[in-house]
C-alpha cells in the first residue's frame, strides 16, 4: 500500500518519455535490416509511429491506475488488455497499408490477431520499464524524505537541549544588577550591565549551527564568567588556558558555558572561602580534551561520587546528551570528585577544524594577514 | 587647556541622551552646547554650532550617525565618539577618524577612557589652544609600586605580562605571580608605553610580545592566547589599535624569536 501511495506522489512527465527511449531504440535497431526493402521499411515505420502514439494513452492509463491505488494484478491485466487492443488496431492499420500499397485487395479479419508480437511486446516492455522507473524514483524520494525527517528530528532535539542551558542566568544577572542599583552602586551596576551585554552579543552572534570554533566558545564562557566575577568578586578565581593551535577546533555550541555555570553554582558559590575554577583545553592524541576543575564542598553521601549527587546532574546530563547526539561513540565525558577534593569534568571530542576557519580569520582581520603572531 | 571642550550629543533616545548628559555634567572642562534627537537636525545643527566633540549614536531614524559625520566637511568635522547598541561599524568608525567607538550599555570606565582620549586629542585639533609641551615618550611607567603588607615591592614593567582590572584596583601578572596595584586599569593604561602594552578589553591590558595567537570571532571581538596558554578576550572597540600595534611589532620580534609550533 505504501508503495502505491509513494508512486502517486510523483508526476514528472519526463519519466514515461525516458521509459519509452529504450523501447524505441530496440524497435529502431530491429528495423535496421529491413531498410533496403522499401515495403518492409514502410511497415516498420508505420508500426513504430503507431507504437509511439499508443504509448501516450498507455502511460496515461498506467498513471490513472496508480493514482487510484489499483492493486498490481488488476492493473497488469488492464494494461495487458489495453495494449492488446492497441496492437490489434495496429494490425488493422497494417492491413490498410497493404491495401493502399496494392499488396492486398481486402481486409483479412481472420489474420488480424496474427503476428502481434512486434507491437504488443514493445508496449508491454514500455509498461514494465515505466513502472520500474517510477517505483525507483519514488523509493529514492521516500528515502531522502526519511533522512531529512530524521535530521530535522535530531536538529529539533539538539535545539531543545541547547535552549535549556541558557535563560535562567539572565534573570540572575538582572537580579544582581537590581541589587547593585538598590545599594547605590551605580558604577558596579553599569559594569555588570556591560558584561551582560557582552555575553548577549556573543550568543546573538551565533548563527544557529550546532558547532562553532573553540575560540568562540571560550570567549562566550569568558563573557559569562565576567558576570559571575562581578557577582562573586574575590570569591571567584579564574584560570583559563589552552594549548597551541586549538582555537579553530570545532566544539558544540554552549558546551563549556554550562559546565562553568555548574562549577560556580554548585561548587564555588556555596563556599565561604574563595574558590578557584580552572578551565584547560589540550590536544589529546587525535582528540580534544576539555577539562573543568573547581573547588567545592564534597557531599558526604556516596552517591555523589559519580557527580550526579551534588545537583550538577541536569547541566551535565544535558551536555552529555548533546555530545552523544553529535559525535556518537567518538566522544566521552566523565565527572567526579578528585582525590584532592576538587570536582572535575573531563570531556574528549574528535579534533576537527571548523569549516572556513582560516577564511574567517582573514576577513575579520585585515591588518595582520596571518592570524598567528610569531612570538 | 584654556577653554572647555564644547560637546554635542546626537541620539534619538531621550534616556540615552540623559545618560550622557548626566555623565558629562560630572566632569570639569566640558561644556554641553547642543543636543539633537535625529540625524537630519544634527547635520544642519553641527555645521552651525561647530562643537569640538560630538557623541553620535549610529542607529537613528533618517540619517545615521555615520552619514551625519560623513556629510560634514572635513575641516568642520568635530572629534567624534560613536555609540551603538550592536556592532558592525568599527571599521567605518575608524575610517571617519572617530576618537572612540562605544558599545551600549557603556560602563563608566569605558566612558571615562573615551573622554580622556578626546581630552588628549583636543589640543591638537583646536588651533586656539596650545598643545602641551614636553617629551611624552620618556614618561612611560617603568616600575610599579606594589604594597604587600608593610613592604613596598617594585615590579619592573618589563616583567609584567598582563594587567587585569579588579574593581577599583588592578592585578599585575608577572612571571607567575600576581600583585595588586591600588590604581584603576584605565589610569594604568594611560601610563604604559603603547608600543609595549595594549588595552584589549574593559578589564585587561596585555603585553604585546606575550601574544602568540589571535583568533577573530564572528562578533568582531577576538580571543588572544598568550605564551603561557592564558586566554584573553579582546573587545572589538580595541581591535584596530591592537592589530596595528601587533603588525608594527612583527618586524622587530621575528628575527630572534623561536618559531611557532
Amino acid at each position: 500500500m505504501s508503495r502505491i501511495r509513494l508512486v502517486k506522489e510523483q508526476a514528472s512527465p519526463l519519466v514515461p518519455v525516458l521509459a519509452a527511449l529504450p523501447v524505441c531504440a530496440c524497435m529502431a535497431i530491429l528495423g535496421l535490416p529491413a531498410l533496403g526493402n522499401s515495403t518492409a521499411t514502410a511497415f516498420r515505420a508505420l508500426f513504430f509511429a503507431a507504437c509511439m502514439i499508443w504509448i501516450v494513452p498507455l502511460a496515461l492509463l498506467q498513471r490513472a491506475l496508480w493514482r487510484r491505488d489499483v492493486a498490481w494484478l488488476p492493473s497488469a491485466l488492464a494494461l495487458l488488455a489495453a495494449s492488446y487492443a492497441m496492437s490489434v488496431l495496429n494490425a488493422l492499420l497494417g492491413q490498410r497499408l497493404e491495401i493502399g500499397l496494392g499488396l492486398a485487395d481486402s481486409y483479412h479479419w481472420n489474420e488480424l490477431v496474427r503476428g502481434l508480437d512486434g507491437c504488443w511486446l514493445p508496449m508491454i516492455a514500455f509498461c514494465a520499464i515505466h513502472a520500474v522507473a517510477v517505483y525507483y524514483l519514488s523509493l529514492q524520494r521516500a528515502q531522502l524524505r526519511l533522512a531529512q525527517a530524521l535530521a530535522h528530528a535530531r536538529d529539533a532535539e539538539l535545539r531543545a537541549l541547547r535552549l535549556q542551558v541558557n535563560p535562567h542566568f539572565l534573570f540572575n544577572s538582572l537580579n544582581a544588577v537590581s541589587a547593585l542599583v538598590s545599594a547605590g552602586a551605580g558604577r558596579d551596576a553599569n559594569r555588570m550591565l556591560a558584561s551582560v551585554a557582552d555575553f548577549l552579543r556573543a550568543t546573538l552572534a551565533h548563527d544557529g549551527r550546532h558547532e562553532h570554533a573553540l575560540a568562540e566558545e571560550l570567549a562566550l564562557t569568558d563573557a559569562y564568567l565576567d558576570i559571575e566575577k562581578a557577582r562573586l568578586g574575590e570569591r571567584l578565581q579564574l584560570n583559563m588556558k589552552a594549548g597551541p593551535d586549538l582555537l579553530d577546533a570545532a566544539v558544540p555550541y554552549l558546551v563549556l558555558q554550562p559546565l562553568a555555570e555548574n562549577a560556580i553554582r554548585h561548587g564555588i558559590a556555596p563556599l565561604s572561602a574563595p574558590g578557584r575554577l580552572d578551565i584547560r583545553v589540550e590536544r589529546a592524541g587525535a582528540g580534544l580534551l576539555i577539562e573543568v576543575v573547581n573547588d567545592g564542598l564534597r557531599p558526604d553521601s556516596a552517591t555523589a561520587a559519580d557527580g550526579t549527587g551534588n545537583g550538577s546532574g541536569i547541566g551535565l546530563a544535558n551536555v552529555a546528551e548533546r555530545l552523544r547526539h553529535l559525535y556518537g561513540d567518538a566522544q566521552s565525558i566523565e565527572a567526579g570528585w578528585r582525590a584532592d577534593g576538587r570536582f572535575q569534568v573531563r570531556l574528549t571530542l574528535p579534533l576537527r577544524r571548523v569549516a572556513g576557519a582560516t577564511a574567517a580569520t582573514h576577513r575579520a582581520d585585515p591588518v595582520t594577514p596571518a592570524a598567528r603572531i610569531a612570538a | 587647556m584654556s577653554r572647555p571642550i564644547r560637546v554635542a550629543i546626537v541620539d534619538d533616545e531621550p534616556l540615552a541622551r540623559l545618560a550622557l548628559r548626566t555623565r558629562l555634567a560630572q566632569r570639569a572642562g566640558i561644556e554641553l552646547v547642543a543636543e539633537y534627537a535625529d540625524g537630519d537636525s544634527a547635520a544642519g545643527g553641527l555645521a552651525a554650532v561647530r562643537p569640538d566633540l560630538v557623541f553620535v549614536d549610529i542607529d537613528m531614524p533618517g540619517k545615521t550617525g555615520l552619514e551625519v559625520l560623513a556629510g560634514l566637511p572635513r575641516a568642520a568635522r568635530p572629534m567624534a565618539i560613536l555609540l551603538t547598541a550592536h556592532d558592525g561599524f568599527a571599521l567605518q568608525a575608524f575610517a571617519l577618524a572617530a576618537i572612540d567607538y562605544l558599545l551600549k550599555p557603556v560602563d563608566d570606565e569605558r566612558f571615562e577612557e573615551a573622554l580622556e582620549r578626546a581630552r588628549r586629542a583636543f589640543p591638537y585639533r583646536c588651533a586656539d589652544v596650545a598643545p602641551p609641551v614636553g617629551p611624552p615618550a620618556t614618561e612611560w611607567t617603568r616600575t610599579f609600586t606594589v604594597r604587600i603588607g608593610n613592604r613596598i615591592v617594585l615590579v619592573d614593567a618589563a616583567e609584567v605580562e598582563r594587567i587585569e582590572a579588579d574593581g577599583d584596583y588592578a592585578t599585575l601578572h608577572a612571571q607567575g605571580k600576581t600583585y595588586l596595584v591600588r590604581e584603576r586599569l584605565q589610569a594604568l593604561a594611560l601610563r604604559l608605553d603603547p608600543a609595549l602594552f595594549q588595552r584589549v578589553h574593559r578589564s585587561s591590558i596585555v603585553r604585546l610580545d606575550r601574544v602568540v595567537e589571535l583568533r577573530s570571532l564572528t562578533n568582531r571581538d577576538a580571543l588572544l592566547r598568550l605564551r603561557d596558554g592564558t586566554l584573553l578576550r579582546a573587545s572589538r572597540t580595541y581591535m584596530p589599535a591592537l592589530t596595528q600595534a601587533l603588525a608594527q611589532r612583527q618586524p622587530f620580534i621575528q628575527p630572534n624569536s623561536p618559531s611557532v609550533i
Side-chain angles (χ1 to χ4, degrees), chain A residues 319-367:
Chain A
V319 169
E321 184 76 351
R322 284 166 57 213
L323 288 180
R324 200 177 54 74
H325 267 288
L326 284 166
Y327 308 113
D329 293 334
Q331 51 81 31
S332 73
I333 179 164
E334 51 190 70
W337 291 93
R338 300 200 308 197
D340 63 358
R342 309 186 74 204
F343 190 75
Q344 169 179 277
V345 181
R346 280 166 74 98
L347 32 128
T348 49
L349 316 171
L351 180 57
R352 284 190 286 105
R353 316 239 144 229
V354 283
T358 45
T361 314
H362 280 256
R363 199 170 47 246
D365 183 15
V367 184

Side-chain angles (χ1 to χ4, degrees), chain B:
Chain B
M1 256 175 269
S2 53
R3 69 168 177 83
I5 304 178
R6 298 168 70 246
V7 181
I9 297 173
V10 186
D11 198 314
D12 59 313
E13 287 182 42
L15 279 178
R17 292 200 301 276
L18 172 69
L20 283 173
R21 215 184 302 136
T22 315
R23 280 173 162 168
L24 289 171
Q26 299 160 0
R27 325 278 150 175
I30 300 283
E31 187 193 349
L32 183 61
V33 291
E35 281 186 34
Y36 306 98
D38 64 87
D40 295 319
S41 64
L46 289 176
V49 175
R50 299 286 298 268
D52 302 309
L53 172 66
V54 61
F55 285 87
V56 194
D57 181 35
I58 294 180
D59 316 292
M60 284 185 297
K63 273 199 174 109
T64 69
L66 293 171
E67 284 165 354
V68 169
L69 288 178
L72 294 171
R74 194 173 283 274
R77 211 178 281 166
M79 295 187 285
I81 295 175
L82 294 160
L83 293 130
T84 181
H86 50 250
D87 52 4
F89 300 107
L91 291 177
Q92 290 168 66
F94 282 89
L96 282 166
I99 290 279
D100 211 338
Y101 170 73
L102 303 178
L103 293 170
K104 293 177 178 179
V106 184
D107 60 327
D108 300 77
E109 284 88 353
R110 194 67 187 80
F111 180 79
E112 280 155 21
E113 191 189 331
L115 206 57
E116 188 55 39
R117 280 192 197 189
R119 271 192 218 275
R120 292 189 159 217
F122 181 52
Y124 301 96
R125 298 282 295 241
C126 163
D128 56 342
V129 177
V133 239
T138 55
E139 284 172 10
W140 307 119
T141 296
R142 301 222 169 157
T143 48
F144 294 95
T145 315
V146 185
R147 188 191 297 270
I148 303 175
N150 291 330
R151 284 187 306 142
I152 287 192
V153 175
L154 295 178
V155 181
D156 195 345
E159 289 174 3
V160 174
E161 285 145 19
R162 64 191 169 98
I163 309 172
E164 214 179 317
D166 196 344
D168 289 344
Y169 301 145
T171 307
L172 306 179
H173 292 255
Q175 298 180 327
K177 291 187 202 142
T178 58
Y179 306 91
L180 193 68
V181 184
R182 287 161 199 279
E183 202 170 347
R184 286 224 173 110
L185 192 70
Q186 170 214 346
L188 283 176
L190 299 172
R191 298 199 293 132
L192 291 169
D193 183 354
L196 297 177
F197 290 94
Q198 275 284 326
R199 182 89 179 260
V200 293
H201 190 257
R202 151 174 1 101
S203 58
S204 46
I205 292 173
V206 70
R207 202 186 150 89
L208 290 166
D209 63 4
R210 297 285 125 177
V211 180
V212 287
E213 274 183 68
L214 184 154
R215 170 62 158 78
S216 302
L217 305 175
T218 43
N219 67 355
R220 287 163 193 279
D221 287 351
L223 192 73
L224 307 178
R225 200 177 71 85
L226 309 187
R227 274 190 209 185
D228 65 347
T230 301
L231 299 160
L232 279 185
R233 244 180 330 140
S235 167
R236 77 207 72 173
T237 60
Y238 296 106
M239 281 301 285
L242 175 66
T243 44
Q244 203 178 346
L246 286 172
Q248 280 169 359
R249 280 193 57 81
Q250 273 184 334
F252 301 104
I253 42 170
Q254 263 170 354
N256 53 0
S257 65
S259 62
V260 175
I261 317 102

